[in-house]
């Protein structure tokens, strides 16, 4: 039996079909073939420089930015953090060039937009070629649900009741549109503009859809872009990260201060304007792509393997039925609702460290010292702090006028298999210390329908 952790990873050497729901118009294999073979930049899914560097078995150079260099020096320790890499130290690739290290285009973006951070360089020497298994945070729902069940005793009865009640309330508030998503995964959408407007209206009450919405559009932009900037990235074996960065920052005010995709919900006309402002030639096809891709992806992320998408309705679904038929969706709901609780800063390690231990065990078992974000292999890569068989050297670094990174001072610092405290992960909290995604409207417990 495949584990939830195996299902949360994509193998970019051979992206086979995961076990999924029944009754969908397109299979995962159909979509894999389309993305890889029928999009302009699809060849980069397997032929990108990051995946090739991992498969080479040679030392891997990575860049990390931090505002805590003094604390790192004083403690001699570096911790991992949560986020899209689950339990890794977030980095971007570096490539040797002209006597220095050239940052991946995502790294260049970070250096431009984070002027008050210090730069570190890591040299990871793996014990063998690293398998190109990318972790997909959208597919962590089953793991979130398992962790909740195993750690319920950490919650008071009132907290647990509120958590479950709010999650079910969100399902019932959005049930009609969630059923429309499953119907769209089984057949075509008649009115694309109305569908996207309903999606936008549903996100505030069902924030997980904002993440799926954004990732589908990011995929569309990166795989279809033909701009000179994207062509230069492709020549270096890289997908163009600046496309989705522009999308996020133009769609949501303040995204530079708190990157929170629960706030991403442009309506149809706004979406078309956003895409046109990034790359005009992509605007005409954006809505159609979204209306085909998002329902399929939602069904695969939400429903249990083997579940018939045509035999399930979200209307009237309770906790037990969701846990059986849609465990992925229920887990994502519980995870995001947990982040809104008043005691989340105290409970954070109790729940997230448990997932971290499982992630590290999976990566160690599969020979992965450097896990990467597998929604797409776009350059978000991390360091597994629990990997026992890889060498690691760390330097402070400077960036020269030509944009190359140069190691300066080697640090006597160790990677520690422990998550950083929530208060240290500033991009995932606001000024009150709460995690991203907490500022959203109340749920009516099923009495208010949205997105219809």
């Amino acid at each position: 039996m495949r584990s939830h952790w195996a299902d949360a990873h994509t193998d970019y050497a051979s992206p086979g079909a995961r076990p999924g729901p029944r009754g969908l118009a397109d299979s995962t294999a159909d979509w894999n073939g389309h993305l890889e073979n029928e999009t302009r930049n699809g060849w980069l899914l397997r032929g990108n420089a990051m995946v090739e560097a991992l498969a080479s078995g040679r030392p891997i150079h990575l860049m990390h930015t931090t505002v805590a260099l003094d604390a790192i020096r004083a403690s001699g320790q570096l911790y991992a953090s949560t986020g899209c890499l689950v339990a890794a130290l977030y980095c971007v690739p570096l490539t040797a060039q002209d006597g220095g290290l050239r940052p991946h285009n995502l790294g260049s973006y970070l250096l431009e937009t984070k002027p008050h951070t210090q730069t570190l360089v890591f040299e990871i020497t793996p014990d063998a070629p690293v398998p190109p298994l990318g972790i997909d945070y959208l597919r962590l729902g089953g793991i979130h649900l398992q962790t909740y069940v195993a750690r319920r005793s950490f919650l008071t009865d009132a907290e647990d009741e509120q958590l479950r009640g709010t999650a079910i309330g969100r399902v019932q508030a959005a049930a009609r549109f969630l059923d429309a998503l499953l119907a769209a995964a089984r057949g075509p959408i008649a009115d694309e503009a109305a569908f996207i407007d309903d999606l936008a209206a549903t996100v505030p009450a069902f924030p997980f859809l904002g993440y799926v919405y954004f990732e589908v559009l990011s995929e569309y932009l990166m795989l279809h872009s033909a701009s000179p900037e994207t062509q230069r990235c492709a020549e270096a074996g890289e997908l163009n990260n600046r496309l989705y960065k522009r999308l996020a920052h133009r769609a949501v005010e303040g995204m530079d201060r708190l990157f929170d995709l629960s706030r991403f919900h442009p309506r149809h006309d706004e979406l078309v304007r956003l895409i046109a402002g990034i790359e005009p030639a992509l605007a005409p096809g954006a809505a159609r792509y979204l209306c085909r891709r998002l329902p399929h992806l939602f069904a695969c992320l939400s429903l249990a393997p083997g579940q018939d998408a045509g035999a399930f309705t979200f209307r009237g679904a309770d906790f037990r039925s969701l846990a059986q038929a849609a465990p992925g969706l229920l887990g994502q709901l519980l995870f995001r609702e947990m982040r809104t609780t008043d005691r989340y800063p105290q409970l954070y390690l109790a729940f997230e460290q448990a997932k971290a231990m499982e992630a590290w065990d999976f990566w160690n078992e599969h020979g992965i010292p450097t896990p990467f974000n597998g929604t797409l292999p776009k350059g978000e890569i991390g360091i597994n702090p629990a990997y026992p068989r890889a060498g690691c050297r760390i330097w402070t670094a400077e960036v020269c006028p030509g944009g190359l990174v140069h190691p300066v001072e080697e640090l006597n610092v160790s990677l520690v298999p422990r998550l950083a405290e929530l208060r240290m992960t500033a991009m995932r909290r606001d000024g009150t210390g709460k995690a991203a995604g907490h500022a959203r409207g109340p749920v009516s417990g099923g009495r208010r329908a949205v997105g219809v």
Side-chain angles (χ1 to χ4, degrees), residues 219-289:
E219 176 185 89
Y220 175 72
L221 288 169
M222 285 188 282
L223 293 183
H224 292 83
S225 173
S227 72
E229 176 187 71
T230 298
Q231 291 178 35
R232 288 192 296 272
C233 291
E235 289 168 2
E238 300 170 5
L239 290 164
N240 184 1
N241 288 259
R242 292 175 185 263
L243 298 167
Y244 69 83
K245 294 292 187 180
R246 292 177 187 130
L247 176 68
H249 293 300
R250 294 176 186 182
V252 182
E253 184 178 359
M255 198 69 106
D256 57 330
R257 296 186 298 274
L258 183 67
F259 200 86
D260 179 5
L261 293 175
S262 70
R263 300 183 293 154
F264 183 86
H265 50 87
R267 292 169 60 86
H268 173 269
D269 292 351
E270 182 187 0
L271 168 63
V272 174
R273 287 195 298 271
L274 284 167
I275 301 297
I278 296 169
E279 190 163 336
L282 297 184
R288 182 168 190 180
Y289 185 89

Side-chain angles (χ1 to χ4, degrees), residues 108-128:
S108 297
Y109 173 87
L110 294 176
L111 291 173
E112 292 171 14
T113 57
K114 295 181 178 292
H116 303 298
T117 61
Q118 285 98 20
T119 303
L120 300 181
V121 167
F122 294 79
E123 182 182 80
I124 306 297
T125 304
D127 57 318

